[in-house]
Amino acid sequence: MSTSRRTFLKTSALAAAGAVLPAKSWAKVLGANADIRVAVIGMNGRGQNHISSLQRIQGVRIVALCDPDTAVLDRTKPKVNGGDVKTYTDIRELLNDKDVDAVTIATPNHWHSLAAIWAMQNGKDVYVEKPVSHNVWEGRQLVNAAKKYNKVVQAGTQIRSGEGLRE
């Protein structure tokens, strides 16, 4: 297989340009090796489990917490990155934050679908606790949003046979 002179020169020029760019330039490029910046929505119950689990995963950084109860936020904030984390009481403000790549949703059940859809509309990938919806229509809207916005959505499946879920 032979390479044309034009292809060789283009490839060589691109390689040389890459070699002379300082490391600082490369550090500004986000890619597969960058941390995933996550926000946890809902701090009581499962939200605390989300925080403890996320803090153990290399390459994941919790950058924001969201809960309507400021007392809960004040109690939780010092436990996350030594308190170096943004806090929100309004989910809409959190979802507008461009420094957040993904969210975990541990809110009361009736918020699960809507919060997940809003997150995807704002460019976030989503982990949402079960139940993801209260009815088939709501769940279908969640699936449609994932397809429309090309976002990853994962739903919790642990403890599916608990008494509360059976009811």
Side-chain angles (χ1 to χ4, degrees):
M1 185 170 110
S2 64
T3 302
S4 71
R5 182 173 182 267
R6 181 180 305 254
T7 302
F8 174 78
L9 290 174
K10 278 185 189 176
T11 305
S12 299
L14 289 172
V20 298
L21 287 174
K24 188 175 182 181
S25 298
W26 292 106
K28 292 181 180 178
V29 177
L30 292 178
N33 295 326
D35 282 351
I36 299 171
R37 302 165 300 175
V38 179
V40 178
I41 304 169
M43 298 297 106
N44 284 320
R46 291 291 301 153
Q48 294 296 320
N49 296 107
H50 290 196
I51 291 168
S52 64
S53 295
L54 290 167
Q55 287 181 318
R56 291 192 305 261
I57 302 171
Q58 186 175 356
V60 172
R61 188 166 28 106
I62 300 173
V63 296
L65 305 172
C66 182
D67 198 282
D69 187 338
T70 57
V72 171
L73 286 173
D74 292 343
R75 185 174 62 243
T76 305
K77 182 178 179 172
K79 300 175 188 175
V80 180
N81 302 333
D84 184 23
V85 62
K86 296 178 190 176
T87 58
Y88 296 89
T89 56
D90 187 329
I91 189 174
R92 296 165 297 185
E93 291 176 14
L94 164 71
L95 295 176
N96 283 325
D97 188 338
K98 300 299 181 204
D99 292 332
V100 174
D101 301 315
V103 300
T104 69
I105 300 169
T107 60
N109 295 350
H110 64 276
W111 270 100
H112 289 179
S113 289
L114 185 58
I117 291 167
W118 282 355
M120 288 182 280
Q121 288 172 336
N122 282 277
K124 317 301 185 215
D125 292 311
V126 175
Y127 173 86
V128 59
E129 283 295 335
K130 65 185 167 325
V132 297
S133 64
H134 282 292
N135 55 54
V136 174
W137 183 87
E138 237 181 46
R140 178 54 49 202
Q141 301 320 301
L142 184 68
V143 170
N144 291 342
K147 288 178 183 175
K148 178 178 180 177
Y149 299 107
N150 194 29
K151 292 295 162 193
V152 174
V153 178
Q154 180 177 339
T157 58
Q158 62 279 33
I159 316 170
R160 292 184 316 273
S161 58
E163 185 178 335
L165 292 171
R166 285 188 308 226
E167 288 176 17

